[in-house]
Amino acid sequence: MTNADSLVESLEHDGRLLAAFGGSVEGWEYDGEVTEQEPMSTDSVPCACGHRPLRWLYTWRHADGRTVITGSVCIN
């Protein structure tokens, strides 16, 4: 993979993640909740960016009641 390919992949990932937050991170807060799931389960929850499989789920909450789940990589 070239540096350009890596950059495009990173930008696409960031775009998917930002879209899950409605295009802005304003008003979102990580609530400290961490949930463990069986990553290979057929009903496992994916990260907001689309990453699978996830073991650890981190919950973000918006002031209006919406929630977004991210994995351990994307919470950073």
Side-chain angles (χ1 to χ4, degrees):
M1 178 180 294
T2 68
N3 285 343
D5 291 337
S6 181
L7 179 59
V8 168
E9 186 176 299
S10 179
L11 289 171
E12 289 173 347
H13 168 263
D14 291 348
R16 289 190 307 271
L17 196 55
L18 187 58
F21 285 91
S24 172
V25 293
E26 189 172 325
W28 289 94
E29 190 172 306
Y30 171 59
D31 69 359
E33 182 178 333
V34 180
T35 306
E36 183 178 10
Q37 70 175 352
E38 175 54 49
M40 302 315 265
S41 172
T42 57
D43 61 347
S44 66
V45 176
C47 180
C49 75
H51 280 143
R52 281 187 180 263
L54 301 179
R55 173 165 304 278
W56 303 105
L57 309 176
Y58 298 84
T59 304
W60 295 82
R61 300 194 188 281
H62 193 274
D64 67 8
R66 291 179 288 161
T67 61
V68 168
I69 302 295
T70 60
S72 58
V73 171
C74 293
I75 194 167
N76 294 320

